[in-house]
Amino acid sequence: MQISLEWLKDYIRYTGEVVDLTKLLTFSGIEVEDVKTFGDIQDSIITAKVIESVLMEGSDHLQICQVDTCTEIIQVVCGAPNCISGINAVLALPGTKLGNLTIKHAHIRGTDSCGMLCSELELGFSDEHKGIIILPQETVIGIPIRNMLKLPDTIFELEITPNRPDLLGYLGIATDISASAGNTLSIPATSNLSLLEDKNNRVVDYLSLKNLDADLCSRYTARVIKDIKVTESPLWLKLRLLKSGFRPINNIVDITNYIMLETGHPLHAFDYDKLEKVKGIPEIVVRRAEIKEVFSALDGKSYMLDSDDLVITDGKNAIALAGVIGGSNSHITESTVNIVLESACFNHSTVRRTAYKHKITTDSAYRFERHLSAENCTYASERASQLIIELASGKLCQGFLDEWQATDKQTIVPLRPNRLKQVIGINLSKEKISNYLTKLGLVYLGEGCYKKFYPDSADKIPKLLQDNNETLYFDVESEDRLNLRKIEPIEEALYFEIPSKRVDLTREIDLIEEVIRLYGMDNVPQRVKAAIVMDRHAFQLKRKASDFLVYSGFQEIVNLSFTDPGLINYLDLKDEDIRLRQITLLNPQNSNLSVMRTSLIPQLLLNAQYNLNHGTKQIKLFELNKVFLENDSLPKSEPLRLSFLWLGFNNDNHWKVKPLNSDFYQLKGIVEDLLKLAGITNIKYSENVSGYLVGEEAQSILYNNDCIAEYGRLKPSIAAVYDIDTVELKQEVWIADIDLEKIVSLSRTLHKSYIPIPRFPSIERDISFLVKDSIVFSRIRDSIIDTHQEQLVDVSLIDEYKGKQVPEGLKSLTFRFIFNNPEKTLTDDEVEAAFASIVNNLKSQWDIQLR
C-alpha cells in the first residue's frame, strides 16, 4: 500500500522530518518497506495561460501559441489536440531538464518556439501523453507548478498486516499516527449532505433493494445520483491516485477509488440506465450465484460461478461479483448520465474464497477479505456523494436504500492495570492507559472488577462495592450474590467498548499490546539482559562456508587439537611468525601430541598423505576449526581458521572430456567466492610471503591492510616431507588458509544493499596495452578505480599475453570497462571523455604502451 505524505497531511498536522515519521510508523507496527520521491521537478516549470492558439500553415496538428507567463508573452509551438485559446497550462521554460531532454529555443518549420507545454508524461506523473495538462481557470499564472501542486511529495510504501483492516485507508493511518504522536486528527465532515439532496427526486422512486443473503452481505446501501457529467478528473485528484499507485480513468471511477483510499472502504458505481427494470424501476438484488452462472467481468473475462459466490444483480442479470469486481454490462462510460452508488459490507471469507478460486486480484477484494466494518458504509457513501456532486455536477436523490442486519452486540474488553504492569514492567496510570486507547477510537466505559465472563448487569461492567466488613464483591442483580462475593482475588479493571473497525481487539492482551505500541517499545525497560547462548552470526557464517565447500566437491575433516611439535617447522615459516610459538601441554598423552596446533595445514597434509597411500588421488579436503596461539598475556587466543587442500583434477574422468589439472585461478575463485559469501568485497591483493607456498603462484588478500587469507601452490620440497611426490603424481598441491575469525568480525557490520537492475543501457570499451611484467593486475585495477569516474561501474581483465610479439620484460593486458549512468543513457562523447581520462592516467602512472 502506497501513501502520500502531502495527502496524509489533510488529516493530521505533521511538521517533522520524513525519517522521524518512518520510525514512528515502524515502531507503531506499520512496516515501511520503501520511501520514494514523487514529482521532483524544477522551478522553471510554471503555470501559464494560452491566450491565442493558431494552426500552423501547412500542418494539420501543430499550433502556434502565444503564452502568457505573467512577466512576458512568449511563442510556443505545440502539437497537442487540446491546446486551445484561453486555457491554463504547464510551461517548461528554456533550460529545463525533463528526463534526458533539455528544453531549448527551437525553430520548428521556420517558427520560433521558446519552451514546451507539458503533458503528464513529460513531467513524469504518468504515461498519459494524448494532450497537455489543463489547469483550473482560477490558477494563478507564473508560479512554479511544484508550489501549486505541493511537489515534490514523499511516498511511503507500507506493508499492512492482515489483522489490521483499519489501516487500509489514509484515515486509519492518520488515526494511528495521531494516537502515537499526539497530533491533532482532522476527519472530513459529511453532516451537510442532506442540504445537497434533490427533494423532488426520492431514491425509492428510482430504485429498490433486496438482500437475500444477509449472512454473506451484512449491509448493502445504495444511492442514486442523476445528471452527472463523466469527464477527466481534475489534476489534483489524478495526482493523488497516481501517488497511491492507481491509474486515473474518469471522474466517477476516480472518486470511488479516492474514497476507498481515504476511508479504506471500497465503493462501486453502476450505470443506472444499463440496469434492467422490474416493475418500472431497477431492483438491486444481492443473492448467491446459480450453479454454472456465467459472469462477464470488467477485466474482459467470463467466469463460471457456483453457489459459493455472491453476486449483485439488477433483478435479472449479475452486474457485479460481490466485493471482487464489477460487470462489463453496467460499468461507467463517457455516455453515463445516471449512476447507482454502492457501499456495502461483504463476508470476508466469501470474498477471499471467490477471489482465490477465480484468481482475481483487486484492491476491493484485498480490503473486503480482511474483514471490514459495516458501520463505515454510510460515511464512505456520503463522502463519495459529496465529491460526485462537486466534480461531476450530479444531483443526489433524496434518501438512500439500506439493508443492514445490525446487531446490538457490543464487544467489551477489560484491561487490568496490574496485568499491564506485569507484562511491560512499568506502572502506567489509569488516566494514561485510557488516554492511549481512546485515541484509537475505543470508548472508555468505566472501572469495575475483573471477571472474564460478564455478569448479567445492565451496564455490562461488574462494579466493586464494599459491605460493612470492607469486603469487595460484585454488584450484580443475581440471587447468587453471596457466592460471587467469595471469588478471589478481585482485581480492578478498566472496561472499553471496541469499535467495529478494530476486529483484531478481542482479548485483554490485545489492549496491552496497543498500550505498549503507543507508549513506545523502546521505552519499555529491559529487566534482565538476555544471555547469549551462541554467536548466531559466527554460526551462520561457518555453516555457509562449510556448505559452499561441500557443494564445491570438498569433504570436511576434523582433526585433534593436539599435534606433533615438529610439524609446523616443516612449513618453512619466518622466525617472527606467531604460528611457531606453540602452547605446550602440561600432561600430554604422548610426545607426538604434546602441543596445541597453531595451523590447520600440517594435519591437512597428513590427511592427504593418508589418502594417497590408500589409493585415492582425487583429494579435496577442508577443515574449519580453532587454532591456539601463544600470547604474552592470558587468555590465550583461539581464533577460527578455514583451510582447504586440493590435489587432483578439476573434473571427473569422462570419455568425452579430458581431465584437466586444478590450477591457481580455480583456487583463487573459491577463496573470492567465500569472501563474497561473507559480504567482504573491498579487498586488495598482495604478494604472499609465507615460506610454504611458491611465490609466483601464491597471493595474500588484504582488507584494510590486514591479511585475511593466503593461498597458492605448495612447494614441492615441503610436499615431499609429507611423502607427497608431485613429480610422480604429475599434479600440484594447492593450499588455502583463511582467517575466519577476522572475517566473522568484519562481516558483523557489513550489510548487503540492493542494487536495482540498470534502467539504461551500458556501454563497453576494451583497451590493450603493454606494461612491465613485474606490475600486478590488482595495482593497475586500483589505479583505474582511483580516477573516480562516476560512470565506470566495472573493470575486468579479460586477457593476458606473453609471446613473440611482446618484448622481453613486458606483458600484454586487455581490460574491459563498463560504463553506465542510472539516470540517463550515456552519449558516446561522455564515454570517450571518461575513457580518455583513464588512459591518460595509465600512461602517466604505469608508462603503458597502447597496442
Side-chain angles (χ1 to χ4, degrees):
M1 176 178 172
Q2 292 182 191
I3 66 166
S4 152
L5 179 57
E6 175 268 326
W7 186 358
L8 187 66
K9 289 180 179 178
D10 280 5
Y11 315 110
I12 187 168
R13 181 172 296 177
Y14 184 82
T15 58
E17 298 294 330
V18 171
V19 65
D20 296 328
L21 182 56
T22 302
K23 291 180 180 178
L24 181 64
L25 289 168
T26 301
F27 281 100
S28 297
I30 305 172
E31 181 182 353
V32 180
E33 291 191 327
D34 194 12
V35 179
K36 298 179 288 188
T37 299
F38 180 94
D40 190 7
I41 56 179
Q42 295 177 265
D43 286 337
S44 54
I45 303 174
I46 63 172
T47 59
K49 188 178 189 67
V50 180
I51 57 177
E52 183 182 57
S53 177
V54 179
L55 187 67
M56 180 184 291
E57 185 176 350
S59 173
D60 59 351
H61 70 286
L62 293 178
Q63 300 176 76
I64 302 174
C65 305
Q66 304 302 318
V67 181
D68 184 3
T69 68
C70 190
T71 57
E72 61 177 332
I73 295 177
I74 63 175
Q75 181 171 283
V76 177
V77 175
C78 179
N82 63 341
C83 182
I84 58 177
S85 301
I87 65 169
N88 293 332
V90 178
L91 174 67
L93 296 171
T96 304
K97 290 186 177 181
L98 297 174
N100 295 328
L101 175 67
T102 300
I103 305 301
K104 301 177 180 178
H105 290 278
H107 295 279
I108 302 175
R109 297 189 180 183
T111 302
D112 289 337
S113 181
C114 300
M116 183 173 73
L117 296 174
C118 302
S119 68
E120 294 178 13
L121 176 65
E122 274 108 26
L123 297 186
F125 294 164
S126 72
D127 296 331
E128 179 61 46
H129 62 282
K130 294 180 181 179
I132 60 174
I133 297 173
I134 297 179
L135 300 175
Q137 284 298 314
E138 62 271 16
T139 301
V140 178
I141 303 303
I143 63 173
I145 190 69
R146 62 187 291 165
N147 295 348
M148 172 187 172
L149 300 178
K150 298 179 182 179
L151 297 174
D153 193 7
T154 300
I155 308 300
F156 296 93
E157 189 169 330
L158 308 179
E159 177 64 31
I160 306 300
T161 54
N163 67 322
R164 293 297 305 274
D166 59 300
L167 297 177
L168 295 175
Y170 276 81
L171 284 174
I173 299 291
T175 300
D176 217 70
I177 294 174
S178 173
S180 298
N183 302 70
T184 303
L185 181 66
S186 176
I187 298 178
T190 61
S191 57
N192 62 347
L193 187 64
S194 60
L195 301 177
L196 303 176
E197 292 180 336
D198 183 0
K199 303 299 188 294
N200 298 321
N201 291 283
R202 300 184 306 161
V203 68
V204 293
D205 296 330
Y206 291 91
L207 190 69
S208 64
L209 172 62
K210 187 182 296 182
N211 184 3
L212 302 181
D213 283 281
D215 56 329
L216 301 184
C217 176
S218 59
R219 190 177 190 184
Y220 193 97
T221 71
R223 297 180 185 271
V224 175
I225 305 177
K226 300 181 60 183
D227 301 333
I228 63 166
K229 296 179 181 178
V230 179
T231 61
E232 185 179 350
S233 295
L235 183 59
W236 69 265
L237 177 54
K238 291 199 294 183
L239 277 180
R240 288 195 166 184
L241 293 178
L242 289 167
K243 292 174 185 178
S244 300
F246 280 69
R247 181 175 61 88
I249 299 174
N250 57 54
N251 55 350
I252 303 300
V253 176
D254 292 350
I255 287 170
T256 60
N257 285 332
Y258 179 87
I259 298 303
M260 178 183 70
L261 289 168
E262 179 182 68
T263 65
H265 199 98
L267 303 171
H268 191 73
F270 302 104
D271 189 323
Y272 175 86
D273 299 304
K274 293 179 181 178
L275 305 182
E276 295 287 344
K277 293 180 174 57
V278 179
K279 297 180 181 181
I281 60 174
E283 181 181 40
I284 298 294
V285 179
V286 184
R287 62 167 173 82
R288 290 178 184 267
E290 299 174 358
I291 297 177
K292 294 186 178 180
E293 182 175 357
V294 177
F295 171 69
S296 298
L298 280 172
D299 59 5
K301 300 179 182 179
S302 295
Y303 299 94
M304 187 77 71
L305 309 181
D306 57 40
S307 58
D308 288 334
D309 299 315
L310 188 70
V311 293
I312 314 300
T313 74
D314 57 7
K316 293 183 180 180
N317 306 314
I319 56 177
L321 193 54
V324 180
I325 193 171
S328 59
N329 55 354
S330 60
H331 70 288
I332 306 300
T333 64
E334 293 181 356
S335 60
T336 298
V337 177
N338 307 306
I339 65 169
V340 175
L341 181 64
E342 167 196 286
S343 180
C345 188
F346 303 107
N347 180 275
H348 59 283
S349 298
T350 299
V351 174
R352 185 184 301 114
R353 183 169 54 247
T354 295
Y356 178 79
K357 178 172 57 180
H358 298 296
K359 296 180 175 58
I360 305 174
T361 302
T362 63
D363 291 281
S364 174
Y366 172 79
R367 285 165 171 79
F368 275 122
E369 65 187 21
R370 280 158 173 76
H371 198 168
L372 298 181
S373 168
E375 292 184 359
N376 291 337
C377 293
T378 305
Y379 179 76
S381 178
E382 291 175 349
R383 281 285 292 148
S385 299
Q386 280 184 327
L387 278 178
I388 292 173
I389 293 170
E390 178 184 343
L391 301 180
S393 305
K395 296 179 180 178
L396 178 64
C397 291
Q398 185 177 21
F400 70 104
L401 303 179
D402 189 1
E403 284 280 339
W404 187 11
Q405 299 298 319
T407 176
D408 295 331
K409 182 180 178 181
Q410 295 174 301
T411 301
I412 300 175
V413 179
L415 170 59
R416 293 167 289 174
N418 285 340
R419 180 58 180 159
L420 179 66
K421 182 179 180 181
Q422 291 175 0
V423 173
I424 68 175
I426 57 175
N427 190 18
L428 292 179
S429 67
K430 297 176 184 178
E431 292 74 17
K432 199 158 192 173
I433 295 171
S434 175
N435 185 47
Y436 279 139
L437 295 179
T438 52
K439 283 183 177 180
L440 291 174
L442 280 68
V443 179
Y444 176 57
L445 300 177
E447 295 182 46
C449 58
Y450 178 75
K451 194 171 188 294
K452 292 184 179 178
F453 303 98
Y454 312 125
D456 295 328
S457 59
D459 57 3
K460 302 293 183 182
I461 304 176
K463 295 183 179 179
L464 280 171
L465 297 178
Q466 290 182 331
D467 60 11
N468 295 332
N469 298 323
E470 298 184 355
T471 303
L472 297 175
Y473 64 91
F474 294 113
D475 179 29
V476 294
E477 297 176 3
S478 172
E479 296 177 358
D480 200 21
R481 185 170 185 171
L482 295 177
N483 290 333
L484 288 172
R485 183 185 301 179
K486 297 176 183 178
I487 295 178
E488 296 289 348
I490 295 177
E491 297 181 80
E492 289 183 286
L494 308 179
Y495 280 79
F496 295 90
E497 181 182 340
I498 311 301
S500 60
K501 64 182 180 180
R502 291 304 303 269
V503 296
D504 57 314
L505 303 181
T506 59
R507 304 168 300 165
E508 181 184 34
I509 194 65
D510 297 330
L511 300 190
I512 293 175
E513 288 178 357
E514 293 300 290
V515 173
I516 296 174
R517 189 168 65 83
L518 299 181
Y519 177 74
M521 292 291 294
D522 51 339
N523 294 326
V524 176
Q526 187 176 3
R527 291 181 177 178
V528 180
K529 189 174 182 180
I532 300 176
V533 179
M534 62 179 293
D535 187 341
R536 293 185 178 274
H537 175 72
F539 173 79
Q540 291 171 355
L541 191 57
K542 286 161 59 179
R543 172 170 286 182
K544 286 181 181 179
S546 296
D547 289 346
F548 174 79
L549 288 173
V550 170
Y551 297 152
S552 300
F554 287 81
Q555 294 185 7
E556 184 172 9
I557 59 172
V558 178
N559 290 302
L560 293 174
S561 298
F562 313 139
T563 187
D564 188 325
L567 290 178
I568 194 68
N569 296 320
Y570 297 151
L571 295 185
D572 196 19
L573 301 175
K574 293 184 177 181
D575 293 340
E576 64 273 14
D577 199 309
I578 193 173
R579 287 173 287 185
L580 294 176
R581 300 172 61 183
Q582 302 179 90
I583 301 172
T584 304
L585 297 177
L586 296 177
N587 188 22
Q589 294 180 0
N590 57 61
S591 60
N592 292 332
L593 298 173
S594 61
V595 297
M596 305 295 290
R597 63 183 176 187
T598 58
S599 172
L600 304 178
I601 295 173
Q603 289 166 309
L604 274 176
L605 291 170
L606 290 176
N607 298 138
Q609 177 201 78
Y610 180 84
N611 280 270
L612 286 171
N613 291 342
H614 287 75
T616 301
K617 295 185 179 180
Q618 285 287 100
I619 302 173
K620 298 176 78 173
L621 304 174
F622 79 94
E623 183 171 7
L624 195 164
N625 225 319
K626 291 181 178 180
V627 296
F628 304 86
L629 302 177
E630 174 72 78
N631 293 331
D632 295 331
S633 60
L634 291 175
K636 310 301 182 185
S637 61
E638 300 178 14
L640 275 172
R641 305 291 293 193
L642 172 60
S643 301
F644 58 91
L645 176 148
W646 189 355
L647 191 155
F649 299 116
N650 62 11
N651 58 319
D652 296 331
N653 289 326
H654 192 273
W655 64 272
K656 193 174 182 180
V657 180
K658 182 180 179 181
L660 300 173
N661 284 328
S662 51
D663 59 26
F664 171 79
Y665 293 103
Q666 290 168 336
L667 182 73
K668 177 183 179 182
I670 293 174
V671 175
E672 289 177 338
D673 287 342
L674 281 168
L675 295 180
K676 288 178 182 178
L677 203 64
I680 298 176
T681 56
N682 188 21
I683 58 177
K684 292 187 177 181
Y685 300 90
S686 174
E687 295 177 315
N688 181 260
V689 295
S690 294
Y692 62 94
L693 298 177
V694 177
E696 295 79 11
E697 295 182 82
Q699 264 186 342
S700 292
I701 293 181
L702 306 180
Y703 189 93
N704 292 337
N705 296 321
D706 196 5
C707 180
I708 58 175
E710 58 184 18
Y711 53 90
R713 179 163 68 92
L714 184 69
K715 288 182 177 179
S717 58
I718 295 178
V721 174
Y722 290 90
D723 292 334
I724 302 174
D725 192 339
T726 56
V727 177
E728 182 181 346
L729 289 171
K730 297 181 180 179
Q731 294 173 345
E732 302 296 343
V733 179
W734 300 96
I735 295 284
D737 187 28
I738 301 173
D739 192 335
L740 201 60
E741 190 75 25
K742 289 180 181 177
I743 291 173
V744 168
S745 177
L746 291 170
S747 60
R748 288 187 193 279
T749 56
L750 296 178
H751 299 284
K752 292 183 179 180
S753 58
Y754 167 73
I755 300 177
I757 297 173
R759 295 173 54 200
F760 300 97
S762 299
I763 297 178
E764 295 181 357
R765 289 287 188 273
D766 292 349
I767 180 175
S768 296
F769 56 82
L770 299 179
V771 70
K772 292 180 181 179
D773 195 21
S774 59
I775 301 174
V776 297
F777 151 73
S778 60
R779 296 178 64 190
I780 298 177
R781 186 179 186 276
D782 291 343
S783 173
I784 294 171
I785 295 174
D786 288 343
T787 58
H788 302 295
Q789 297 296 326
E790 294 182 358
Q791 294 88 355
L792 182 63
V793 296
D794 190 37
V795 182
S796 59
L797 178 67
I798 61 175
D799 185 55
E800 179 181 6
Y801 176 73
K802 296 178 184 178
K804 295 180 180 179
Q805 293 85 359
V806 177
E808 187 72 22
L810 299 179
K811 59 184 175 183
S812 172
L813 300 179
T814 300
F815 279 83
R816 174 161 294 164
F817 306 138
I818 298 180
F819 298 90
N820 184 272
N821 189 316
E823 303 296 332
K824 64 175 185 177
T825 300
L826 288 173
T827 64
D828 287 339
D829 291 341
E830 291 172 326
V831 173
E832 289 301 330
F835 187 69
S837 176
I838 294 171
V839 172
N840 291 335
N841 178 65
L842 291 174
K843 286 181 178 178
S844 62
Q845 189 166 358
W846 303 108
D847 193 24
I848 66 169
Q849 302 174 33
L850 295 178
R851 296 190 67 190

